[in-house]
Amino acid sequence: MQSCLGIYIEDNVIKYAKLQKDKDTVKVESYNLTFYENNLEETLRKIVSETYSYKVPISINVSNEIYNTFEVSSLLNKQDTKKAVNIEYEMLCNEKGYNKASLDHNYIITSPKENPEVQKVLSIIANKNDISKRTMALDGNRIDTITPITTSITNLVDNDGRENIAIVNIEETTKITMMIDGQIYRIDVLEEGMGKILENINRRENSYAKSYEACKNMTIYTKNSSELYAETNDYVDMATAVLLKIITHLRQTISEMFSTIDKIYITGLGTCINNIDLLFQEYIPSAKCEILKPYFLNASSLQLPIKEYIEVNSAIALALDGLGMVDKELNFSKSARSANGKAKLNSALKQEISIETIGEFFANLGTKIKSDFSAPFSSSEKLLARGSIACIMTAVVFSVFSIVVSRQIEDKTRRSSSYCC
């Protein structure tokens, strides 16, 4: 049975979900959403402890990533395509003035039907320092995947390519992922999102948790709503204004697509606002608009309302990455491990060793050992422990045997000498 803890991190909110997979069955073991201020490391430590995920693989999202698209010839082989992509990336860095040494670059390639002579490259650039900060906050834990939520969110949809879809993930910002013929075709990032809505409400409530509760109690009224003449408040009007900006951009994007969009899935913090799907449906009648539900969840068999699971969709999507659904070309974890290794080495080389630091080390050693041994052993650790014990026992037996044999040889030598004399 596989397990993975997905943690979706933003500036003020963290979503997490621990999933278990047994063959083709996926189960949400634990999940939650929490708000924090400046104590990211402490908050993550609590999440790992509460979910008992000391040795469980962890999947997190990359932050502040930059998206670009360009085209390369479809006649190129795999090796030449990679060279062409690298050349385009070099040109992009020169044009934008990016410091290439501080960036990590991954990409995916699609083959658009409208032009079979080219391959479309979706380039994703992440800052190595941002990745390093995230992984350092989880220092001591096993981070298997670090991926863009824009690509991971597609894990939640059981899409066979028959329908063209748009996934609108309304978190702090809004990220729209377009899938044509089962391939990720386009990604848009909008500044409008729940970040602006919560920030405006927070000016009055002085608490992001209370601001979020206000959103959960909020209902958007559409022209077709039976509550047409219901009273609204400043919060509803402000939220509606932000959502309409998102809808306007989405409508424009759909009109520019060479293929029709059959379905629009809405996910993220924004789904806490009641009737948000109806608002999208009213302004985009050409596609079916609905709230995104993880494909493996059966609402009739759940003990809790499915809306609670939907609330942490982004974390569930990341956890699915760790359970084998990740696109290896989009995993930034390798560069994170390399950056962290260099950072720790530089820190160790620069650190001054004093009596105080040595004393502090030994003072904390007992606590650290206790913490390390309080975590459950993984199967590989159990195997390693058994092997170590077997080696130690073999060494002990061999040592005893050697001593006995040596003494017997000495006795025989002594007796032989006495006899000769």
Side-chain angles (χ1 to χ4, degrees):
M1 182 180 293
Q2 291 177 276
S3 293
C4 183
L5 175 63
I7 306 179
Y8 178 74
I9 307 169
E10 289 193 338
D11 288 341
N12 296 299
V13 63
I14 292 179
K15 302 179 179 184
Y16 62 91
K18 185 176 181 180
L19 270 56
Q20 285 186 344
K21 183 180 180 182
D22 185 11
K23 296 181 180 180
D24 294 330
T25 303
V26 180
K27 177 185 176 183
V28 180
E29 183 179 329
S30 57
Y31 64 92
N32 206 349
L33 178 152
T34 183
F35 290 89
Y36 73 102
E37 293 183 0
N38 300 316
N39 53 344
L40 175 60
E41 187 173 349
E42 181 183 345
T43 304
L44 292 175
R45 193 183 301 115
K46 287 181 179 179
I47 290 172
V48 171
S49 176
E50 288 173 6
T51 59
Y52 209 58
S53 302
Y54 301 101
K55 304 298 180 182
V56 173
I58 294 176
S59 296
I60 61 175
N61 60 300
V62 68
S63 62
N64 302 317
E65 68 273 20
I66 302 171
Y67 298 90
N68 289 280
T69 56
F70 41 81
E71 296 176 345
V72 297
S73 173
S74 60
L75 301 177
L76 299 175
N77 59 35
K78 187 175 182 180
Q79 187 175 0
D80 290 337
T81 297
K82 186 175 182 179
K83 290 179 181 178
V85 171
N86 288 334
I87 291 172
E88 291 286 348
Y89 175 56
E90 292 274 0
M91 294 172 59
L92 177 68
C93 289
N94 291 334
E95 179 185 342
K96 301 287 187 180
Y98 295 154
N99 178 10
K100 187 181 174 184
S102 66
L103 302 175
D104 195 11
H105 177 233
N106 288 333
Y107 60 90
I108 51 176
I109 297 177
T110 60
S111 302
K113 287 186 176 181
E114 76 274 21
N115 189 355
E117 295 181 358
V118 300
Q119 299 178 92
K120 188 169 184 177
V121 180
L122 176 59
S123 164
I124 306 173
I125 303 172
N127 188 295
K128 290 181 180 179
N129 189 45
D130 287 343
I131 296 175
S132 181
K133 286 180 180 178
R134 291 265 173 106
T135 54
M136 290 295 282
L138 282 161
D139 188 30
N141 297 103
R142 173 183 162 188
I143 301 177
D144 273 13
T145 67
I146 304 175
T147 50
I149 192 59
T150 50
T151 56
S152 298
I153 200 70
T154 61
N155 292 339
L156 302 180
V157 183
D158 188 12
N159 183 21
D160 57 7
R162 296 180 184 178
E163 290 184 322
N164 297 328
I165 66 172
I167 303 177
V168 185
N169 195 14
I170 309 174
E171 298 284 10
E172 182 177 346
T173 58
T174 299
K175 296 178 178 179
I176 303 173
T177 303
M178 298 279 192
M179 295 190 72
I180 305 295
D181 299 323
Q183 302 178 92
I184 295 178
Y185 183 81
R186 173 172 173 169
I187 292 176
D188 289 4
V189 180
L190 310 180
E191 288 301 317
E192 286 77 16
M194 284 298 289
K196 288 192 174 181
I197 295 174
L198 291 174
E199 185 178 343
N200 288 331
I201 299 176
N202 187 53
R203 290 171 185 168
R204 294 187 187 179
E205 300 292 342
N206 200 29
S207 166
Y208 276 97
K210 290 181 179 179
S211 300
Y212 183 62
E213 284 300 318
C215 290
K216 293 177 75 171
N217 294 323
M218 186 185 299
T219 301
I220 300 292
Y221 298 106
T222 65
K223 293 179 181 178
N224 297 325
S225 299
S226 58
E227 304 91 344
L228 179 62
Y229 300 103
E231 293 184 5
T232 61
N233 56 46
D234 293 342
Y235 292 167
V236 173
D237 293 341
M238 178 270 300
T240 302
V242 172
L243 295 175
L244 287 177
K245 288 181 180 179
I246 297 170
I247 291 171
T248 300
H249 177 90
L250 181 59
R251 287 179 61 181
Q252 179 64 31
T253 302
I254 291 174
S255 67
E256 296 171 358
M257 302 290 288
F258 71 95
S259 296
T260 58
I261 296 297
D262 303 303
K263 189 173 289 185
I264 296 171
Y265 290 105
I266 307 159
T267 184
L269 279 177
T271 57
C272 72
I273 300 175
N274 298 302
N275 288 354
I276 188 173
D277 52 333
L278 300 181
L279 183 68
F280 272 75
Q281 191 67 74
E282 180 178 316
Y283 285 91
I284 312 178
S286 59
K288 183 180 180 182
C289 302
E290 62 182 65
I291 304 297
L292 177 58
K293 304 175 184 65
Y295 74 92
F296 59 87
L297 289 182
N298 185 355
S300 60
S301 62
L302 296 177
Q303 296 180 350
L304 298 172
I306 194 168
K307 193 169 184 178
E308 292 192 20
Y309 295 95
I310 293 171
E311 191 175 47
V312 295
N313 266 351
S314 292
I316 292 175
L318 293 171
L320 289 172
D321 273 343
L323 293 177
M325 296 183 69
V326 66
D327 184 339
K328 294 180 180 179
E329 298 297 326
L330 296 175
N331 190 357
F332 288 85
S333 65
K334 289 183 179 179
S335 71
R337 283 194 285 269
S338 175
N340 281 344
K342 290 179 181 178
K344 288 179 180 179
L345 178 60
N346 291 335
S347 176
L349 291 174
K350 292 178 181 178
Q351 186 176 12
E352 294 183 0
I353 299 176
S354 63
I355 298 298
E356 289 77 10
T357 56
I358 295 173
E360 184 179 352
F361 170 78
F362 281 105
N364 295 328
L365 183 59
T367 304
K368 179 169 176 55
I369 292 173
K370 182 179 178 181
S371 174
D372 289 343
F373 278 90
S374 65
F377 285 102
S378 64
S379 57
S380 59
E381 288 173 328
K382 289 178 181 177
L383 183 62
L384 181 61
R386 289 169 184 166
S388 300
I389 293 171
C391 290
I392 292 170
M393 292 179 67
T394 302
V396 170
V397 171
F398 180 77
S399 298
V400 172
F401 179 77
S402 298
I403 292 170
V404 171
V405 171
S406 297
R407 287 181 177 176
Q408 287 179 350
I409 292 172
E410 288 177 3
D411 289 342
K412 287 184 179 181
T413 303
R414 193 180 301 111
R415 289 175 185 175
S416 177
S417 299
S418 299
Y419 178 78
C420 290
C421 293

